[in-house]
Amino acid sequence: MTALPVPPRGAQPDRAARRTDPIPADAATAIVDRVRRRLANSGLAATRSAVAGLVREESGGLLGDGHLLQLVRTAEDEMSGAGAVEPFLRDPEVTDVLVNGPDEVWIDRGHGLERVPVRFADDAAVRRLAARLAAAAGRRLDDAAPWVDASLPDGTRLHAILQPVSVGATRLSLRVLRPRAFSMDELVAAGTVTGRARVLLTDIVRGRLAFLVSGGTGSGKTTLLSTLLSLVDPAERIVLVEDAAELRPRHPHVVRLVARPPNVEGTGQVSLQDLVRQALRMRPDRLIVGETRGAEVADLLAAMNTGHDGGAGTVHANSAAEVPTRLEALGALAGLSRDAVQGQLVAAVEAVVHLRRDRGGVRRVQEIGLLRRQADGVVVQPAWRWDGGYCEAGERLQTMLTVRAECTL
């Protein structure tokens, strides 16, 4: 245990230095550990006043106000926040925080991953943080259940996996969800959407075409879908069905339904299928099913085949052309045949909007395509491409949008 340095007898402390100089990491860790143990043994709630009082006691009253506030915040983050990575979760530019071990932390500010000079005391500290965050999400994380995928109360997406399943160290991944959707102007300014794509996407939403947003992990699918849903007529009622509450449209009439996994006793599960059934009884004008990663593709296609125009969802795929194949593979997990998936897909979905993230970290709409059934199955034909390449379905999209616009007059 490292003691805080004590000034020489008779020396006058430099108050400015005491406010600004960082506390040695070992000393700060030791104080926070002692405060944590005292709170645990006393049964007191980790309120700001209780933490501040214990920090002052454990420091021997040698800290100035600046250092005291620094340690209080560190202790609060350790006991009720995200510990050493809490400052990054507060940063409005950070989208992902990845902990690969006690001395290896990466973040993404929208321009690719960057390593940051943050460290935990040891792997046990990372494991404690992961277990506490899992508990905050109402989930279990221990040797019997060594991984967790859940949403924290503020919407942050949590994934953690423990040793020895994760070789060498506990791994923690946090995906930060912002409390509001970006406007279309902001996406254009960021280079995600071009001027022409903006016009087409706006017409697709207002024309009530059913569409899927596809792309890889971190490509901006949820962000784009939230923005597009913000363009829906304010008089319409949007019902969102999600595995985790991630969509944040700026719209006055949104109903959110979120699935729930079974508890530790194996009961209490609420599936996407259950929620789709409930959503249909809630008079939706638009029924939206969030990210599809497995057998829930059956629920997505079922929801989009209920006669509600303008439905939407997201799916992982490497390109727009691969969306039908991707859905067929996921449909197999749900026991659906290729013909069944393709039949439902072509009946339910009209357009695919594909996003790609380049090496510089810029997310952009790369392609807008239309689905069409051919002799060898369902295909996605390009209707607009970011690179200006040939689009065989370009005229067909314009015709569809013109007809839909006339129908809404």
Side-chain angles (χ1 to χ4, degrees):
M1 184 178 300
T2 304
L4 287 172
V6 179
R9 184 181 300 275
Q12 293 299 317
D14 184 341
R15 294 185 181 274
R18 285 168 59 182
R19 285 196 303 269
T20 59
D21 291 348
I23 302 174
D26 291 345
T29 299
I31 292 174
V32 171
D33 284 343
R34 295 200 298 271
V35 169
R36 183 196 307 112
R37 287 196 296 270
R38 288 186 61 179
L39 279 173
N41 293 334
S42 68
L44 294 173
T47 63
R48 190 174 183 83
S49 59
V51 171
L54 291 176
V55 167
R56 188 177 292 278
E57 290 179 18
E58 290 297 333
S59 66
L62 299 176
L63 296 180
D65 291 341
H67 281 160
L68 178 64
L69 290 174
Q70 177 186 339
L71 268 182
V72 168
R73 169 161 282 188
T74 299
E76 287 181 321
D77 290 345
E78 178 73 19
M79 286 174 273
S80 60
V85 299
E86 178 68 25
F88 299 114
L89 299 183
R90 299 193 189 113
D91 187 334
E93 294 185 354
V94 172
T95 61
D96 294 88
V97 178
L98 309 175
V99 181
N100 289 348
D103 57 356
E104 185 180 345
V105 179
W106 299 76
I107 65 171
D108 189 343
R109 288 191 171 99
H111 305 290
L113 292 174
E114 58 181 285
R115 191 166 179 174
V116 291
V118 171
R119 62 168 294 126
F120 292 81
D122 50 29
D123 188 68
V126 180
R127 177 171 175 144
R128 283 197 305 272
L129 172 60
R132 181 165 52 74
L133 293 178
R139 303 293 296 277
R140 171 183 175 186
L141 182 66
D142 53 31
D143 291 338
W147 61 76
V148 66
D149 184 7
S151 293
L152 299 179
D154 66 354
T156 298
R157 192 67 184 259
L158 161 71
H159 182 272
I161 186 165
L162 305 179
Q163 295 192 72
V165 179
S166 172
V167 178
T170 299
R171 263 74 183 197
L172 178 63
S173 304
L174 296 165
R175 167 68 59 84
V176 184
L177 298 178
R178 297 306 167 198
R180 66 173 184 86
F182 289 100
S183 68
M184 189 61 81
D185 287 340
E186 289 174 310
L187 293 188
V188 171
T192 300
V193 178
T194 66
R196 179 57 181 161
R198 174 181 187 161
V199 173
L200 292 174
L201 292 172
T202 300
D203 289 345
I204 285 172
V205 173
R206 293 178 178 169
R208 299 182 63 84
L209 271 66
F211 64 94
L212 293 176
V213 179
S214 64
T217 300
S219 60
K221 300 184 296 297
T222 300
T223 297
L224 179 63
L225 183 54
S226 292
T227 300
L228 296 179
L229 293 178
S230 301
L231 303 177
V232 171
D233 188 328
E236 296 185 35
R237 175 178 168 93
I238 302 174
V239 179
L240 307 177
V241 176
E242 299 181 85
D243 181 51
E246 297 182 340
L247 292 169
R248 296 286 193 276
R250 290 178 176 176
H251 192 276
H253 198 166
V254 177
V255 176
R256 296 178 173 86
L257 304 179
V258 181
R260 184 176 67 193
N263 58 25
V264 292
E265 287 81 23
T267 61
Q269 181 179 17
V270 178
S271 68
L272 286 178
Q273 183 177 15
D274 295 328
L275 295 181
V276 168
R277 189 179 303 115
Q278 299 306 314
L280 292 174
R281 298 189 175 104
M282 300 174 72
R283 195 209 170 278
D285 291 307
R286 305 243 187 178
L287 181 54
I288 312 298
V289 178
E291 187 173 3
T292 301
R293 294 174 292 175
E296 63 268 18
V297 67
D299 305 316
L300 169 68
L301 295 176
M304 299 182 76
N305 268 299
T306 57
H308 296 82
D309 292 338
T314 68
V315 63
H316 281 82
N318 294 324
S319 67
E322 293 183 20
V323 168
T325 303
R326 173 66 173 163
L327 293 178
E328 289 169 19
L330 297 179
L333 299 176
L336 298 178
S337 67
R338 180 174 186 266
D339 290 342
V341 172
Q342 291 200 350
Q344 291 192 63
L345 178 59
V346 76
V349 181
E350 294 161 293
V352 172
V353 180
H354 186 74
L355 285 150
R356 185 177 181 85
R357 182 173 182 173
D358 64 23
R359 292 182 179 179
V362 177
R363 302 167 175 89
R364 62 169 53 96
V365 175
Q366 185 182 46
E367 181 180 330
I368 300 173
L370 295 181
L371 278 81
R372 165 162 281 181
R373 184 189 287 277
Q374 296 184 340
D376 57 347
V378 177
V379 298
V380 176
Q381 297 178 328
W384 175 88
R385 289 173 53 175
W386 173 78
D387 61 6
Y390 173 67
C391 297
E392 58 185 312
E395 291 186 8
R396 186 158 67 96
L397 176 59
Q398 286 298 331
T399 300
M400 291 175 65
L401 294 177
T402 300
V403 170
R404 291 298 181 93
E406 292 173 351
C407 292
T408 58
L409 293 178

